[in-house]
Structures are given as structure tokens and as C-alpha cells.
Amino acid sequence: MVETYQSHGVSFEYPDDWEITEQQDAQEVTITVQSPETSFWLLTVFFDRPDPEKIAEAALDAFRQEYEDLDIYEGDDNICDENAVAWDLEFRAMEVYNSAWVRTFQTDLFSALVLYQANDLELEDTTDTMRGMTRSLGYYYE
């Protein structure tokens, strides 16, 4: 079954057996959707609308600092009818290969970071789900 998240001017669909959490401060909100295993999908909404390129670079820098064996590939994506800055990542953590996808974009209401990640053991089962969550992402005026 599918649930719909709708708050803070954003909406998306996610599996009802995945756990959703939210953290908020004055300038941003982060919504994390965790699979029953280790895969996760994360959306951070920046209400002060920073440059998507800078958001993506900060995310990539965090991965670079954490993982020595990191491969970064330029991606291509469109989210909420906006061209997204897109990077696809591959790295090894705790003897397991992982993939992550970094997507940033800007609307007239906010800038956003979408980050989703899965290890190779779950990749086949969760990647389409997380891509579907990204495709379902929408925004609205409150």
C-alpha cells in the first residue's frame, strides 16, 4: 500500500511499510523515509532558496569526506517540472557496495535536495521505489 505525505508545501507518495521522520528549523525541513532494511530516501526543503549547485556540492563534499572509494557520475533528472542538478554515486561502506543519488532543484517557493541510497543487497528491491517517490514529488502553495 501507498501513503501520501503532504506538509510544508510538498507532497509525495511512499510505501506504507517505510518509516517517515521529520526534522525542522526556521529555514529548512528534512523528511526521511526509511525502508524496513537500510535503504532510505531523504528530502530537504530550503525555504531561503540557496543555489541548487551549491547544495549539490555540499552534499558531494560530505560524501567525499566520508568515503575514500567514491565514484561520482553526472546524472540527468527533472523533478517537479524543474531541471535538477543530478549526481549518481557509488562507494563501499562496511564491505558492501552502495549507490546514492543526489538531486537538487529550485522552485519559486524553495530549493530542495533529494538524496536516496541503497546497498547492493537491496538495490534491486528498493531503487524503483525510491525513484517513484522522487517522481511523485510535488509542491503546493500553503
Side-chain angles (χ1 to χ4, degrees), residues 5 14-15 18 20 23 27 49 52 62 75 79 83 99 116 129 141:
Y5 176 92
Y14 65 97
W18 289 34
I20 191 164
Q23 293 179 321
Q27 292 299 318
R49 299 182 70 238
I79 304 173
N83 289 327
S99 296
Y116 51 104
T129 299
Y141 297 89

Side-chain angles (χ1 to χ4, degrees), residues 30-45:
T30 298
I31 303 109
T32 305
V33 187
Q34 177 73 49
S35 78
E37 301 295 327
T38 63
S39 298
F40 67 90
W41 183 91
L42 174 145
L43 168 67
T44 300
V45 177

Side-chain angles (χ1 to χ4, degrees), residues 110-131:
F110 56 79
S111 295
L113 164 69
V114 175
L115 168 68
Y116 51 104
Q117 181 174 317
N119 68 47
D120 281 353
L121 302 173
E122 301 172 33
L123 195 60
E124 191 172 310
D125 295 332
T126 61
T127 303
D128 286 343
T129 299
M130 294 185 293
R131 284 187 178 133

Side-chain angles (χ1 to χ4, degrees), residues 40-103:
F40 67 90
W41 183 91
L42 174 145
L43 168 67
T44 300
V45 177
F46 301 92
F47 298 109
D48 58 348
R49 299 182 70 238
D51 180 3
E53 291 279 351
K54 290 182 180 179
I55 297 169
E57 193 55 43
L60 293 177
D61 283 345
F63 275 93
R64 286 181 188 112
Q65 290 175 14
E66 186 71 25
Y67 305 104
E68 276 186 33
D69 184 21
L70 176 66
D71 295 322
I72 301 172
Y73 307 96
E74 190 169 4
D76 182 35
D77 217 337
N78 190 293
I79 304 173
C80 293
D81 294 325
E82 303 291 339
N83 289 327
V85 176
W87 296 100
D88 301 341
L89 313 175
E90 295 177 348
F91 57 96
R92 191 171 177 163
M94 297 190 296
E95 304 304 317
V96 178
Y97 289 99
N98 292 267
S99 296
W101 296 264
V102 173
R103 305 292 190 256

